[in-house]
Amino acid sequence: MPRVEPLPSTLGGEQNGSMAKPLQSLLRASVPLAYVFAFAVFLSGLAARVALLPQESRLAFATLYPGVVVVFYLAGAGPGLLYVALCAVSGLYVLRPSGWERNLDVQTLIALGCFLLSAVLIAYVVLRMQRASRRLDETRSHLQDLYDEAPCAYCSFDREGRFVEINGTGVGWFACPRDDLLGGRQFREFLSPESQVRFDANWPTLARTGRLGPLEYDVVGCDGSTRRVSVVSTAVRNSRGEFVRSRCLMFDITQMAQVRAQLQRANREQAVMLNNDLVGIVKLKDRRIVWKNPAVARMFGFRARELEGQSTRSLYFDDATHIEVGRRAYEKLRRGETFREQLLMKRKDGTPIWVDVSGAMLSQEESLWMLLDITPMREYQEQIERLATYDALTGLPNRKLFADRLEQALASANRHQEQLAVCFLDLDGFKAVNDTRGHPAGDFLLSSVAKRMAATLRHADTVARVGGDEFAIVLIQIKDKGECLRLLERVLERINEPTTLEDGALAFVGASIGVAVLPADGACADELVRKADAAMYRAKSEGRNRIYFYE
């Protein structure tokens, strides 16, 4: 193999003429100074001619030729022409031999022509060399800029991993002076402990195989800055095939490494999210399950892979619901919107499950759905709503729900020209039982009476607990007071039945019932309630345990 010499510390530069460069720059920067310099060189050449050669010599221009090169090279064309003109005049009229005549002879003209022609040729060559030198300097400067300012670091290490060459970008990355780096510093000194282990394990491979990488290292600069770099290396060998140094190309991949770490973290988070045991995630194609996470199978009671390929129809109670939900959902999805709704669905064993369903289209054929089991929440919500509208002791509607149902019944009765009755009922004898037997016995008695009343009335009628031992009844679609009276008499009979308390004792209560009828006694709820309440008190005053219609 041919011998490969190490690279110089820079891309190179002219050593010859290094003294002339500053003088040339100075003369080119100041035009008057350039002309003064040309005149000074002329005087120097003239003095040399007088001192070195006798006037009788015919070599009038002999000592002036070097000045042509010097002035044209250092000062430029204008001062050079001035120098040539001065030389021509001095050669004709100052340096001529004494025997020459004043008149210009052929020999003199030949000497002058030779000098001028030589001067022109010298000037042409010098100026061409100058232009070539400038182009070379520009090219060298561009190459040096490409080398030093490249977006990657170029460097070279010897067998021990010491820096032997590095460009400007690399110097900036290591935040260390070039001379310090090239003064024996090792690349591994700038690596994190983990990267040092990786470098030590892999560096011998380069000398053995001739190529290494790309490998990633964490570089710590002298200023404490850190960056992630990717290094590719090839080996430079001498004529005997021995490893001399490396060629290394180093890329800053800090941002890429950060993005990669973020992507890896996002992938881990996505995996955790997709494989969670709480939120079901399912991908559908033509409403068939093509992928699901474990939560879906657990939620609906299926085995791990049992649902794959199945239609979502198996999760609904009937075809009609399945079709209707699909129609509503895919109308929105095809418009680019998301669909979200709480649906009553079915587990594998047929038990109902409330699911919060949210879906979006992935493509024209596939959609992604999020499923959350909200059955406990719905049950709790229903429990809260029941507590707000039902009496906790008897399970009957409370005053709030009674008022709502009365308004609905009034609206229906007025719409269909029907009669209804509003009844207020107060238990007679309840206070004595409650005071003598205690509150638990009183609560048991109230609950028992409430159940008997609810069982006696028609399904469409309403009985509610509106106070301690007070109840209210709405009887709908009654033909006349006679039908109302018969219904209430059956209620009163059931109330009068003895109640066996939890301790085995018998308790007896009666009821005073007041009745107001729509439309005879009023048209609005407040009026009917007020008159039914007044009728109830009239029943009590008439002897209790009886039914009294408002008059």
Side-chain angles (χ1 to χ4, degrees), residues 321-541:
T321 304
H322 179 249
I323 294 172
E324 176 59 22
V325 171
R327 183 190 63 78
R328 294 200 309 269
Y330 283 92
E331 280 182 357
K332 298 190 70 174
L333 296 186
R334 291 191 182 97
R335 293 197 300 266
E337 303 175 13
T338 58
F339 173 82
R340 183 173 183 182
E341 195 169 300
Q342 294 182 357
L343 302 176
L344 182 61
M345 305 183 78
K346 182 184 69 172
R347 291 189 175 94
K348 182 181 178 181
D349 60 6
T351 57
I353 174 175
W354 278 99
V355 182
D356 190 327
V357 178
S358 177
M361 292 299 290
L362 296 177
S363 65
Q364 290 185 348
E365 297 180 343
E366 293 185 336
S367 57
L368 187 69
W369 298 83
M370 311 285 284
L371 311 175
L372 181 63
D373 181 359
I374 60 170
T375 304
M377 184 185 74
R378 286 293 296 242
E379 291 175 348
Y380 179 73
Q381 181 179 353
E382 291 173 1
Q383 181 182 0
I384 294 299
E385 291 175 355
R386 183 171 182 83
L387 290 174
T389 55
Y390 285 84
D391 178 56
L393 175 63
T394 63
L396 298 178
N398 60 13
R399 183 182 293 273
K400 178 181 178 182
L401 183 55
F402 171 78
D404 181 65
R405 290 190 178 179
L406 176 57
E407 290 290 349
Q408 294 181 32
L410 285 172
S412 177
N414 289 325
R415 186 165 56 251
H416 297 97
Q417 299 297 309
E418 296 172 344
Q419 295 187 75
L420 65 78
V422 177
C423 314
F424 263 49
L425 182 155
D426 184 79
L427 296 182
D428 300 325
F430 171 77
K431 186 175 184 301
V433 176
N434 196 56
D435 291 344
T436 58
R437 297 288 183 177
H439 292 296
D443 291 344
F444 184 82
L445 177 59
L446 286 173
S447 180
S448 299
V449 170
K451 290 178 182 177
R452 293 201 293 267
M453 284 193 295
T456 304
L457 292 173
R458 297 169 301 178
H459 179 72
D461 296 329
T462 298
V463 57
R465 184 187 179 199
V466 295
D469 59 351
E470 293 182 356
F471 296 86
I473 299 173
V474 178
L475 302 176
I476 66 171
Q477 297 177 350
I478 58 173
K479 298 178 181 178
D480 50 34
K481 288 185 178 181
E483 182 182 8
C484 177
L485 180 59
R486 289 190 294 272
L487 287 172
L488 293 177
E489 283 176 344
R490 289 203 301 269
V491 171
L492 189 57
E493 287 175 3
R494 295 300 308 276
I495 293 173
N496 288 333
E497 293 176 2
T499 301
T500 303
L501 302 178
E502 292 178 314
D503 60 0
L506 294 178
F508 297 88
V509 292
S512 298
I513 304 175
V515 184
V517 179
L518 173 80
D521 299 324
C524 67
D526 290 342
E527 184 178 7
L528 292 172
V529 167
R530 179 173 53 80
K531 290 182 178 180
D533 189 51
M536 180 191 70
Y537 280 103
R538 183 66 181 271
K540 280 186 174 296
S541 66

Side-chain angles (χ1 to χ4, degrees), residues 44-88:
S44 299
L46 185 63
R49 169 66 177 79
V50 173
L52 298 177
L53 297 173
Q55 189 173 4
E56 299 82 27
S57 173
R58 294 184 178 273
L59 302 175
F61 302 99
T63 60
L64 302 177
Y65 281 104
V68 176
V69 177
V70 172
V71 175
F72 272 99
Y73 181 75
L74 294 180
L81 293 176
L82 173 64
Y83 176 80
V84 170
L86 292 174
C87 290

Side-chain angles (χ1 to χ4, degrees), residues 3-8 147 154-166 203 206-208 210-211 233-238 241-248:
R3 180 178 178 84
V4 181
E5 298 297 334
L7 287 172
Y147 177 71
Y154 299 108
C155 53
S156 180
F157 308 133
D158 63 12
R159 294 184 62 88
E160 286 72 35
R162 292 187 294 261
F163 286 95
V164 294
E165 174 59 26
I166 188 168
W203 179 247
L206 178 61
R208 187 172 63 255
R211 183 176 179 84
S233 305
T234 57
V236 177
R237 304 181 186 277
N238 59 20
E242 298 172 340
F243 178 83
V244 177
R245 60 179 176 83
S246 68
R247 306 182 194 92
C248 297

Side-chain angles (χ1 to χ4, degrees), residues 117-387:
L117 180 61
S118 300
V120 170
L121 291 175
I122 292 172
Y124 176 77
V125 172
V126 169
L127 292 178
R128 287 291 300 271
M129 290 178 61
Q130 280 187 327
R131 285 195 291 271
S133 177
R134 284 196 298 271
R135 285 197 296 269
L136 181 61
D137 288 343
E138 290 175 358
T139 302
R140 185 183 295 112
S141 176
H142 292 161
L143 290 175
Q144 187 70 42
D145 179 74
L146 289 174
Y147 177 71
D148 276 331
E149 304 302 326
C152 56
Y154 299 108
C155 53
S156 180
F157 308 133
D158 63 12
R159 294 184 62 88
E160 286 72 35
R162 292 187 294 261
F163 286 95
V164 294
E165 174 59 26
I166 188 168
N167 70 340
T169 299
V171 171
W173 288 0
F174 290 98
C176 188
R178 187 192 298 269
D179 292 341
D180 189 10
L181 289 173
L182 302 182
R185 300 289 295 271
Q186 289 184 316
F187 175 57
R188 72 183 309 278
E189 297 177 29
F190 298 90
L191 301 181
S192 66
E194 180 182 351
S195 296
Q196 287 181 352
V197 173
R198 187 181 303 116
F199 177 80
D200 294 340
N202 290 279
W203 179 247
T205 305
L206 178 61
R208 187 172 63 255
T209 65
R211 183 176 179 84
L212 182 64
L215 293 174
E216 295 184 9
Y217 303 103
D218 291 314
V219 173
V220 182
C222 291
D223 59 354
S225 60
T226 60
R227 69 185 69 241
R228 186 82 169 180
V229 298
S230 176
V231 183
V232 180
S233 305
T234 57
V236 177
R237 304 181 186 277
N238 59 20
S239 59
R240 296 185 299 275
E242 298 172 340
F243 178 83
V244 177
R245 60 179 176 83
S246 68
R247 306 182 194 92
C248 297
L249 187 59
M250 192 177 300
F251 297 94
D252 185 351
I253 60 169
T254 304
Q255 291 184 346
M256 185 179 73
Q258 292 173 349
V259 171
R260 184 174 60 198
Q262 292 173 357
L263 288 175
Q264 292 173 347
R265 183 169 61 251
N267 289 335
R268 290 193 298 269
E269 292 173 354
Q270 184 183 51
V272 171
M273 179 187 70
L274 292 178
N275 296 319
N276 77 91
D277 200 41
L278 178 63
V279 179
I281 305 174
V282 60
K283 184 165 69 173
L284 304 180
K285 182 178 181 180
D286 298 327
R287 302 196 76 183
R288 288 189 173 273
I289 299 171
V290 296
W291 176 87
K292 58 168 183 51
N293 71 343
V296 175
R298 178 199 58 76
M299 187 183 304
F300 289 96
F302 288 86
R303 293 190 300 273
R305 305 182 66 87
E306 191 174 358
L307 275 172
E308 292 183 7
Q310 286 196 29
S311 169
T312 54
R313 168 64 184 86
S314 60
L315 305 179
Y316 291 84
F317 281 100
D318 53 67
D319 291 336
T321 304
H322 179 249
I323 294 172
E324 176 59 22
V325 171
R327 183 190 63 78
R328 294 200 309 269
Y330 283 92
E331 280 182 357
K332 298 190 70 174
L333 296 186
R334 291 191 182 97
R335 293 197 300 266
E337 303 175 13
T338 58
F339 173 82
R340 183 173 183 182
E341 195 169 300
Q342 294 182 357
L343 302 176
L344 182 61
M345 305 183 78
K346 182 184 69 172
R347 291 189 175 94
K348 182 181 178 181
D349 60 6
T351 57
I353 174 175
W354 278 99
V355 182
D356 190 327
V357 178
S358 177
M361 292 299 290
L362 296 177
S363 65
Q364 290 185 348
E365 297 180 343
E366 293 185 336
S367 57
L368 187 69
W369 298 83
M370 311 285 284
L371 311 175
L372 181 63
D373 181 359
I374 60 170
T375 304
M377 184 185 74
R378 286 293 296 242
E379 291 175 348
Y380 179 73
Q381 181 179 353
E382 291 173 1
Q383 181 182 0
I384 294 299
E385 291 175 355
R386 183 171 182 83
L387 290 174

